[in-house]
Amino acid sequence: MAVDGVEEGLSFVDLSLAGREPWRIARRIRAARGAGAERPGVMLLGGFKSDMQGSKAAHLDAWAEREGRAFVRFDYSGHGESSGRFEDGTIGDWLAQSLAVLEASTRGPQILVGSSMGGWLALLMARRLVEQGRRPHALVLIAPAVDFTEELIWKNADDAIRRAILEEGAWMRRSPYSPEPTPITRRLIEEGRAHLMLEDVIRVNAPVHIMQGMRDEDVPYRHALRLMECLACDPVVLILVMEGDHRLSRSEDLAHLTATIEAL
């Protein structure tokens, strides 16, 4: 259904990059209505091996419908309803797809909401926009896994894991969030090094709000503190959730998420 020229529901963005197989990136758009059209839109960037049907995506979609706010969610290649194999994906691929969805699906100022890996991608997107003389309206980062390929996987890997990645091409990582092991590929690790951010100042020229669980076993809260130091040139707020885990998908966490977006 089209609303003010925006096609709502499931649609696709076709994207081709040199040397890569073409992608069909699945997205779902909710158009702004009424007074919501005067407020910034919201774009959700999901986490590593998550999809746009998750609890945070569903909560934000229901909130956007209720409030008349523009909202975009999508699946990276190899995720959900998009084309491609998960094990072929890299940070650079998913960044290019995120930027393509932003350009093809949004109008006016946007609040980028990044969950886990999506927090890293949101910061990379903001940096790219700044380079173009643009900026996001604001960023909301949920357990942001910035530089996770290097800082949280490679640096914590033992010799056996590193051999599997380097010599066999992938290590099968088990996670309580997925019934199937996740392939951590050599390509993911090596290509991720072209996008590392935590060794320098990060400028996004916009307010940044970070939500971080203190019981997060995947992205320790000290990782968020290190990110805060890199973002010292921008207005940043860090909320540490004492009982929060990595997902931050309890009802109180989701309520805090929408309240943060509304405040921005």
Side-chain angles (χ1 to χ4, degrees):
M1 181 179 67
V3 178
D4 292 334
V6 176
E7 192 67 31
E8 290 196 307
L10 178 65
S11 60
F12 295 88
V13 175
D14 293 315
L15 177 64
S16 297
L17 294 181
R20 310 291 285 139
E21 290 291 327
W23 298 297
R24 291 203 84 204
I25 303 304
R27 63 179 177 178
R28 293 181 185 271
I29 299 176
R30 188 167 294 283
R33 293 171 171 83
E38 300 176 4
R39 308 191 69 187
V42 176
M43 179 175 176
L44 176 65
L45 296 104
F48 189 59
K49 213 179 181 183
S50 66
D51 60 50
M52 61 175 166
Q53 304 287 14
S55 55
K56 282 187 282 292
H59 174 80
L60 287 175
D61 185 62
W63 165 82
E65 181 180 28
R66 187 171 63 249
E67 299 295 325
R69 298 290 290 275
F71 177 57
V72 178
R73 48 182 165 148
F74 70 103
D75 289 329
Y76 312 114
S77 61
H79 293 67
E81 297 170 278
S82 290
S83 69
R85 299 193 314 159
F86 174 83
E87 56 267 35
D88 291 336
T90 66
I91 300 303
D93 291 342
W94 297 328
L95 172 60
Q97 295 158 18
S98 302
L99 289 164
V101 171
L102 176 72
E103 293 298 328
S105 313
T106 66
R107 301 174 179 173
Q110 299 294 312
I111 296 174
L112 303 180
V113 178
S115 177
S116 191
M117 179 181 77
W120 185 7
L121 291 172
L123 288 166
L124 289 168
M125 288 177 68
R127 185 167 69 181
R128 187 71 59 85
L129 292 172
V130 169
E131 291 170 354
Q132 297 171 356
R134 306 157 62 193
R135 70 179 185 90
H137 182 79
L139 275 67
V140 179
L141 310 180
I142 306 160
V146 181
D147 295 4
F148 80 93
T149 52
E150 193 73 14
E151 297 294 330
L152 303 179
I153 294 180
W154 185 254
K155 288 186 177 180
N156 290 325
D158 60 23
D159 289 343
I161 291 173
R162 291 189 177 190
R163 278 197 303 272
I165 292 172
L166 294 176
E167 298 174 12
E168 300 170 25
W171 163 57
M172 303 305 291
R173 177 177 181 264
R174 296 195 174 275
S175 167
Y177 303 119
S178 175
E180 299 295 329
T182 300
I184 303 299
T185 67
R186 178 171 180 169
R187 178 177 171 81
L188 176 73
I189 296 295
E190 293 182 343
E191 198 275 345
R193 289 172 180 148
H195 306 286
L196 301 180
M197 307 186 83
L198 291 177
E199 295 300 327
D200 203 352
V201 174
I202 302 172
R203 293 300 305 267
V204 299
N205 291 359
V208 181
H209 281 235
I210 301 171
M211 294 175 56
Q212 175 68 51
M214 295 190 73
R215 295 192 175 182
D216 188 338
E217 296 183 358
D218 291 290
V219 182
Y221 75 88
R222 291 178 180 83
H223 197 72
L225 297 177
R226 183 178 174 189
L227 175 60
M228 286 277 290
E229 295 176 356
C230 297
L231 287 164
C233 295
D234 287 301
V236 183
V237 174
L238 170 63
I239 301 297
L240 293 175
V241 183
M242 184 70 71
E243 301 298 322
D245 62 8
H246 183 60
R247 289 192 167 187
L248 288 180
S249 291
R250 301 171 303 168
S251 58
E252 57 265 43
D253 300 326
L254 297 175
H256 184 81
L257 172 60
T258 45
T260 298
I261 294 171
E262 288 171 349
L264 289 167

